[in-house]
Amino acid sequence: MTQSTKKQQAALAAINYIRDGITLGVGTGSTVNFFIDALEGHAQRLDAIVSSSKDSTTRLENLGIRVSELADTGDIDLYVDGADEATKHRYLVKGGGGALTREKILAGSSRSFICIVDDLKLVNVLGKFPLPIEVIPMARSYVARQLVKAGGQPTWRENFVTDNGNHILDIRSLNITNPPELEKRLNQIPGVVTVGIFAQRPADVLLIAGDDGIRTIK
Ligand code: 5RP
């Protein structure tokens, strides 16, 4: 099975978690795109849909699905999103697509967070995938210097501006053995908007698609 087919299988498995009348949050990325495409027949069952990025909003609207603002809906019942890396403790690295800030807001405001991944994303220790950090543009070099002191190797994601008008640093060489602690520590650096570690609010359910089907970790 290709990685793309596995992404699609994980996305389709998440459709089973949709209930009538809920407010649904939609993440960002190629895995979520399969979820959005499969949503077409279910959107009318939902009370509202909130999106984590301009890209996902466009994809939803192109399917004729109306997108609401989180400020209007209040907390969301179910949030479905992908990840760049995931552990069996349901800690994640996210932000490969640069939508981490809005994704973290939706994850934080969700009653249930389902993360959909293919089995290549499952790791024992987070950090092989460069950790994305969204920063205020004027703080970019300052934050990068602090990250070097913390043992990381930051690279500026050039020619990329987030939906919030900010920049992304991708950090290599971080061995993330204690994800909640590192998330909290890096969040303290002035100029950091969002750290791509999702551990203070991990996923509630991990749906991992592999050659033998879907593995669920709760
Ligand atoms: C975007 C994300 C995505 O969830 C993550 O990059 C996974 O993407 P894909 O499903 O394309 O592999 O965090 O900011």
Side-chain angles (χ1 to χ4, degrees):
M1 206 187 285
T2 65
Q3 188 180 13
S4 179
T5 306
K6 288 177 186 173
K7 288 181 180 197
Q8 186 175 27
Q9 294 303 312
L12 293 178
I15 291 285
N16 296 326
Y17 288 78
I18 292 176
R19 299 285 173 263
D20 291 350
I22 65 167
T23 297
L24 176 71
V26 175
T28 299
S30 56
T31 313
V32 166
N33 283 345
F34 286 119
F35 179 74
I36 293 175
D37 294 347
L39 257 188
E40 209 177 351
H42 299 269
Q44 67 286 351
R45 296 168 56 198
L46 303 170
D47 189 42
I49 297 183
V50 178
S51 162
S52 63
S53 64
K54 290 178 183 169
D55 282 349
S56 289
T57 297
T58 302
R59 198 173 184 97
L60 287 158
E61 289 180 343
N62 285 344
L63 291 170
I65 298 173
R66 189 172 163 270
V67 177
S68 302
E69 294 294 330
L70 181 67
D72 298 325
T73 63
D75 282 348
I76 57 186
D77 297 297
L78 175 65
Y79 180 52
V80 177
D81 200 356
D84 300 300
E85 282 184 338
T87 71
K88 63 179 182 191
H89 300 292
R90 291 171 278 105
Y91 295 145
L92 313 171
V93 162
K94 290 183 48 53
L100 63 166
T101 296
R102 296 184 187 198
E103 291 173 340
K104 198 173 266 196
I105 293 167
L106 291 195
S109 74
S110 66
R111 294 186 184 90
S112 178
F113 172 16
I114 296 183
C115 182
I116 49 178
V117 290
D118 60 84
D119 55 2
L120 293 177
K121 307 264 185 78
L122 192 63
V123 296
N124 288 324
V125 180
L126 299 174
K128 195 164 177 206
F129 188 92
L131 175 68
I133 298 187
E134 180 165 350
V135 297
I136 299 285
M138 73 160 280
R140 193 183 67 233
S141 334
Y142 167 72
V143 173
R145 289 194 296 279
Q146 304 312 304
L147 289 163
V148 169
K149 286 182 196 162
Q153 292 181 323
T155 307
W156 174 29
R157 202 181 293 182
E158 287 187 68
N159 303 316
F160 183 87
V161 177
T162 70
D163 285 353
N164 315 303
N166 294 319
H167 291 176
I168 299 273
L169 293 172
D170 293 302
I171 322 301
R172 286 173 182 76
S173 303
L174 284 177
N175 197 20
I176 308 175
T177 49
N178 186 340
E181 185 276 327
L182 188 64
E183 179 182 6
K184 211 170 177 178
R185 185 149 53 89
L186 298 182
N187 264 326
Q188 307 301 318
I189 302 172
V192 167
V193 177
T194 301
V195 177
I197 301 172
F198 283 50
Q200 297 286 336
R201 198 292 181 233
D204 298 306
V205 179
L206 204 52
L207 298 177
I208 307 158
D211 286 322
D212 299 331
I214 301 291
R215 178 178 167 202
T216 303
I217 298 180
K218 291 184 186 176

